Amino acid sequence: MTEIRRHPDYLGTLPFVSFSMHVVRFRQGEAQPLAREQFDAIFGVYVTEDPDLNFLHLQTPDGGDADIHVHFDGASTDAVHFHRPSSGQVMDLIAEFARLAEAVIMAPDCQYMVTNSNQIDHIPGEDLRELGAVIIQNGSDLAAAITDT
């Protein structure tokens, strides 16, 4: 049986110098496209593009930031990768994007992070058995899930 925990609010900062998270949408164990429209709705006003380095930079009003690696093939992408995300509004935006896209957040050595329990049924079985899953509701929950590992 998969352990599902709900984390309390987390107000600290992430203790990582270099850290990456990946957002992927699963259906019946297979990765599914993420819509560019949903990405733009959440991150559009906060990102700038660096064409020389082929990534986006996320900058939030609270001073938080992250580098985003994403390649849209028309109206969708297979995954969105966040590098060196800071706590605060950055985590809130990532959690909101995962909720809107019905996607799963993955990070090294962490449980799968989902925004509703229905998503758990779609995570590939072998991976889920090994790592488990945790339900998050916001950026504080997301930061707590990462730092609790």
Side-chain angles (χ1 to χ4, degrees):
M1 179 158 204
T2 302
E3 175 188 358
I4 301 174
R5 299 178 290 152
R6 188 170 302 222
H7 289 282
D9 284 342
Y10 179 79
L11 300 176
T13 59
L14 297 177
F16 307 106
V17 174
S18 181
F19 182 76
S20 296
M21 292 188 295
H22 314 283
V23 177
V24 178
R25 183 173 188 259
F26 291 109
R27 290 297 171 263
Q28 299 178 359
E30 299 292 325
Q32 299 295 308
L34 294 164
R36 182 178 196 141
E37 181 179 324
Q38 292 172 332
F39 177 89
D40 289 343
I42 301 298
F43 299 107
V45 299
Y46 302 110
V47 295
T48 56
E49 188 171 358
D50 188 333
D52 294 332
L53 300 176
N54 195 27
F55 69 85
L56 301 174
H57 186 74
L58 173 65
Q59 181 75 48
T60 55
D62 69 350
D65 70 337
D67 293 331
I68 304 173
H69 291 259
V70 59
H71 174 72
F72 287 102
D73 184 15
S76 66
T77 186
D78 293 333
V80 179
H81 310 280
F82 297 89
H83 301 283
R84 294 178 300 280
S86 58
S87 59
Q89 290 175 327
V90 169
M91 291 290 155
D92 289 335
L93 292 172
I94 295 170
E96 178 62 17
F97 176 62
R99 186 200 60 74
L100 181 64
E102 297 179 347
V104 173
I105 302 168
M106 302 180 298
D109 301 319
C110 292
Q111 293 179 309
Y112 282 89
M113 293 159 274
V114 300
T115 58
N116 72 67
S117 60
N118 296 334
Q119 294 167 310
I120 294 169
D121 295 335
H122 295 284
I123 297 171
E126 196 63 35
D127 293 342
L128 180 60
R129 281 189 289 279
E130 183 177 326
L131 297 172
V134 60
I135 297 173
I136 62 155
Q137 299 298 318
N138 53 44
S140 294
D141 290 349
L142 176 56
I146 293 165
T147 58
D148 280 355
T149 59

